[in-house]
Amino acid sequence: MSLMNDNIVLAIVDDHPIVIEGLRTLLKEEPQISIAGSFTRGKDFMDFLQHNKVDLVLLDIMLPDTSGMDLCRDIKKLSPDTVVLALSNHTERSIILQILQNGASGYLVKNVSSTELLNCLKEALKGEIAFSKEVKEIITRPSQHEFKQVPTLTKREKQILQLVSQGKTTPVMAQELNVSPLTIETHRRNLLQKFDVKNVAELIMAAVQHKMITGF
Amino acid sequence: MSLMNDNIVLAIVDDHPIVIEGLRTLLKEEPQISIAGSFTRGKDFMDFLQHNKVDLVLLDIMLPDTSGMDLCRDIKKLSPDTVVLALSNHTERSIILQILQNGASGYLVKNVSSTELLNCLKEALKGEIAFSKEVKEIITRPSQHEFKQVPTLTKREKQILQLVSQGKTTPVMAQELNVSPLTIETHRRNLLQKFDVKNVAELIMAAVQHKMITGF
DNA sequence: CCAAAAATACCGGGAAACCAGTAGATAAAA
DNA sequence: TTTTATCTACTGGTTTCCCGGTATTTTTGG
């Protein structure tokens, strides 16, 4: 886990060049941290990670290409010892828990102060879970409907969900995806089951609430 | 307007220290630009502006204390010659137009590259309207659902919509409201018609997008 | 008061969604 | 390699949704 290493290799994945620049500047002050690279696309980082050792990643969970959630999982799969710190502006409890579920070691909202950022980095490297102040409050204040955790969907299911939200009917989807309508029906059934709902109306609502469909 | 001035006084208003740091670093390279200050709260900047001349403000329109919209208007009222460049992650057309309405000279999404940022700064100082690449596309391509205005629903229809979003079926709603299921069907039909959609999935999505059902 | 809007209700019919159970093929993980 | 997860596909059936009309009663607003 490179706990006691005095030299920590860090990477930044964020599609905002300004944020990257800011992080670089702030972290440059810390001699024990060396920045291996910064990436605006998830795929680029994964390529990098294939050939390089990275101790800690600052990961924006809202990226253009991949979902940050999936990327986080991919990172931990490829390199389990790499500590992932999620960086985002979202303050929904479900999102925070979801990213933790996917292997992140902490969650920072982007309005952290520089000192807060460094503290969290240190905590995360010690193996602890690190939250910025605001996030801690969100975590400790649970809300009603968040008891049932966010269901994990397969690739195909996500795809079907998206199409359903676009008003596509089963036969239409079957044609588009070149599979039997009966197959689509099965996926639909599984979606309803996983979300614990009875029909599309509830399904869409649940998906929207968990931000699993964008809407735009 | 300080068009031809070789020394441009710039200020940054953003509640993300990281972003501020990034902007500072990027702009430090430009000798003709001097950064008068950076502020995480709108009020602080207004106090500063009272006693100092500022040529250009980079303004995050999502601030904790004031709405960026209001702040922009306040800035232009107090110091009409100060050029305001909005900085945000929102990509909704309506938001962009709104901030321009309030006196901003341009709009940048935060994922601008450093060169793009500098170009926009220069354009804005020349008195032009400056947009980052992504924003230009949004402006020129008005999106579908913004054409058709938000449908006006009757009391009953709102009620039905709410119930539908809760997964209630026609017979269930009929019982709850003590009317014939056929009546409910008619209301449903009218809802689909008003929203110009084919089925519940689309209906819910449209309603969510127009914020006509809360979700929570 | 009277016209417009809204809420109510009906018919018939076709399409789609939902339910319960089963199961082969393949791909990924242990 | 064996297990597990995922994607695929089927049978057979019930329920609900969606579409095309039409039409009466209340409510509401000018």
Side-chain angles (χ1 to χ4, degrees):
Chain A
M1 197 81 84
S2 74
L3 288 185
M4 294 304 150
N5 270 3
D6 37 355
N7 190 24
I8 290 148
V9 178
L10 183 142
I12 301 167
V13 185
D14 196 312
D15 68 320
H16 304 94
I18 297 170
V19 173
I20 288 181
E21 206 52 54
L23 290 170
R24 289 195 101 102
T25 308
L26 289 173
L27 296 172
K28 202 153 50 188
E29 309 300 317
E30 300 300 308
Q32 72 272 33
I33 294 176
S34 69
I35 299 178
S38 48
F39 308 84
T40 53
R41 284 182 309 173
K43 200 186 163 307
D44 295 345
F45 174 65
M46 287 309 291
D47 290 345
F48 178 82
L49 190 60
Q50 217 101 37
H51 309 292
N52 300 272
K53 178 174 155 295
V54 174
D55 296 317
L56 195 150
V57 187
L58 284 172
L59 171 65
D60 183 351
I61 61 167
M62 292 299 283
L63 292 170
D65 58 340
T66 327
S67 145
M69 300 287 179
D70 297 337
L71 185 60
C72 182
R73 171 177 272 127
D74 291 345
I75 292 169
K76 296 301 280 189
K77 198 190 296 174
L78 178 61
S79 168
D81 286 348
T82 299
V83 174
V84 178
L85 259 185
L87 199 60
S88 165
N89 273 324
H90 288 269
T91 51
E92 288 90 357
R93 197 160 179 279
S94 61
I95 299 249
I96 300 171
L97 295 178
Q98 207 180 329
I99 188 80
L100 293 177
Q101 206 87 35
N102 285 343
S105 298
Y107 192 102
L108 313 177
V109 283
K110 282 190 179 170
N111 63 7
V112 288
S113 64
S114 53
T115 54
E116 210 172 352
L117 171 67
L118 291 171
N119 278 336
C120 286
L121 283 185
K122 282 170 197 161
E123 280 183 29
L125 285 167
K126 273 191 283 183
E128 296 171 18
I129 299 283
F131 297 124
S132 63
K133 204 164 120 264
E134 200 181 330
V135 175
K136 272 180 198 150
E137 287 165 22
I138 297 164
I139 291 283
T140 49
R141 156 184 49 81
S143 73
Q144 276 75 29
H145 67 277
E146 314 224 38
F147 287 118
K148 36 185 155 185
Q149 79 281 9
V150 182
T152 51
L153 304 185
T154 68
K155 217 183 237 173
R156 204 51 151 177
E157 282 163 355
K158 281 180 201 162
Q159 199 177 9
I160 304 286
L161 176 60
Q162 196 66 40
L163 293 172
V164 168
S165 80
Q166 288 162 20
K168 304 275 176 75
T169 66
T170 297
V172 169
M173 288 187 279
Q175 273 225 314
E176 281 189 17
L177 302 180
N178 291 312
V179 293
S180 162
L182 299 162
T183 304
I184 305 287
E185 287 241 3
T186 304
H187 288 308
R188 290 187 85 122
R189 203 136 39 93
N190 293 337
L191 279 170
L192 294 182
Q193 225 161 43
K194 284 193 176 180
F195 277 94
D196 189 29
V197 294
K198 304 186 305 299
N199 52 38
V200 257
E202 274 188 290
L203 175 65
I204 302 285
M205 286 302 285
V208 166
Q209 280 163 5
H210 290 118
K211 304 215 187 301
M212 305 188 74
I213 40 183
T214 55
F216 299 94
Chain B
M1 200 80 80
S2 74
L3 288 188
M4 295 303 152
N5 270 3
D6 38 355
N7 191 24
I8 291 149
V9 179
L10 183 143
I12 301 167
V13 184
D14 196 312
D15 69 320
H16 303 97
I18 297 170
V19 173
I20 289 180
E21 206 53 53
L23 290 170
R24 289 195 101 100
T25 309
L26 289 173
L27 297 171
K28 203 154 48 187
E29 310 300 317
E30 300 300 307
Q32 72 271 34
I33 295 175
S34 68
I35 299 177
S38 48
F39 307 85
T40 52
R41 283 180 311 171
K43 200 186 164 305
D44 295 345
F45 174 65
M46 288 309 290
D47 291 344
F48 178 82
L49 190 61
Q50 217 102 37
H51 309 292
N52 298 273
K53 177 175 155 296
V54 174
D55 297 316
L56 195 150
V57 187
L58 284 172
L59 171 65
D60 183 351
I61 60 167
M62 292 298 284
L63 292 169
D65 58 340
T66 327
S67 145
M69 302 286 180
D70 297 340
L71 185 60
C72 182
R73 169 177 276 128
D74 292 344
I75 292 169
K76 296 301 281 189
K77 198 189 295 172
L78 178 62
S79 168
D81 287 347
T82 299
V83 174
V84 177
L85 260 185
L87 198 60
S88 165
N89 272 324
H90 288 268
T91 52
E92 286 93 357
R93 215 177 116 82
S94 61
I95 300 235
I96 299 171
L97 295 177
Q98 208 181 328
I99 188 81
L100 292 177
Q101 207 87 36
N102 285 343
S105 298
Y107 192 101
L108 314 178
V109 283
K110 282 190 178 170
N111 62 8
V112 289
S113 64
S114 53
T115 55
E116 210 173 350
L117 171 67
L118 290 172
N119 278 336
C120 287
L121 282 186
K122 281 169 196 160
E123 282 183 29
L125 285 168
K126 273 190 285 184
E128 297 171 18
I129 300 284
F131 296 124
S132 64
K133 205 165 117 262
E134 199 181 329
V135 176
K136 272 181 199 150
E137 287 166 23
I138 296 165
I139 293 283
T140 51
R141 157 187 45 83
S143 74
Q144 274 74 34
H145 69 276
E146 308 213 53
F147 285 121
K148 35 189 156 182
Q149 74 286 3
V150 182
T152 51
L153 304 185
T154 69
K155 214 182 244 174
R156 205 51 152 176
E157 282 163 355
K158 281 180 201 158
Q159 198 177 9
I160 304 286
L161 176 59
Q162 197 65 42
L163 294 172
V164 168
S165 79
Q166 287 163 19
K168 304 275 175 75
T169 66
T170 298
V172 168
M173 288 187 279
Q175 273 225 313
E176 282 189 18
L177 302 179
N178 290 312
V179 293
S180 161
L182 298 163
T183 303
I184 305 287
E185 289 248 345
T186 304
H187 287 309
R188 291 187 84 123
R189 206 136 38 94
N190 293 336
L191 279 170
L192 293 182
Q193 225 162 45
K194 285 193 176 179
F195 278 93
D196 189 30
V197 294
K198 306 186 304 299
N199 52 38
V200 253
E202 275 188 290
L203 175 66
I204 302 284
M205 286 301 284
V208 166
Q209 281 163 6
H210 290 114
K211 305 202 191 303
M212 305 189 73
I213 39 182
T214 53
F216 301 94

